[in-house]
Amino acid sequence: VLKRVLKPETALRIKELMFATVDSGIARLAKTKKVTIAGRTATVKSGENEIAGWFIGFAPAEKPTIAFAIVVERGSGPYTAAAIARKIVETIL
């Protein structure tokens, strides 16, 4: 049984914000001319003194066919993860 978790207008707003994060926000390294990507970044502490960055998202933003989660340990955080996501999405789509 499929159960709706969010109201449609709430889901649409989240989608818009995730698109803005890539289009003009912190995840601009995920932006590509080939396909629109929507996503969200974060930085988390993965160990005593280690920081991991991640980027989750979906593409094409208008009508998603793929979703992804990229985690980069001991790297330059979400920036590297966003750039990796761009390359993966461009390769797949």
Side-chain angles (χ1 to χ4, degrees), residues 13 25 34 53:
R13 183 65 180 141
K34 294 181 179 182

Side-chain angles (χ1 to χ4, degrees), residues 67-79:
F68 52 82
I70 311 295
V71 178
V72 177
E73 294 181 358
R74 297 183 226 129
S76 56
Y79 307 105

Side-chain angles (χ1 to χ4, degrees), residues 29-45:
L29 289 175
K31 190 173 182 176
T32 174
K33 293 179 182 179
K34 294 181 179 182
V35 62
T36 55
I37 298 173
R40 179 72 179 108
T41 64
T43 304
V44 296
K45 191 170 185 178

Side-chain angles (χ1 to χ4, degrees), residues 50-70:
E50 295 178 8
I51 301 295
W54 58 263
F55 180 69
I56 61 165
F58 53 88
E62 304 82 16
K63 191 173 181 182
T65 58
I66 63 168
F68 52 82
I70 311 295

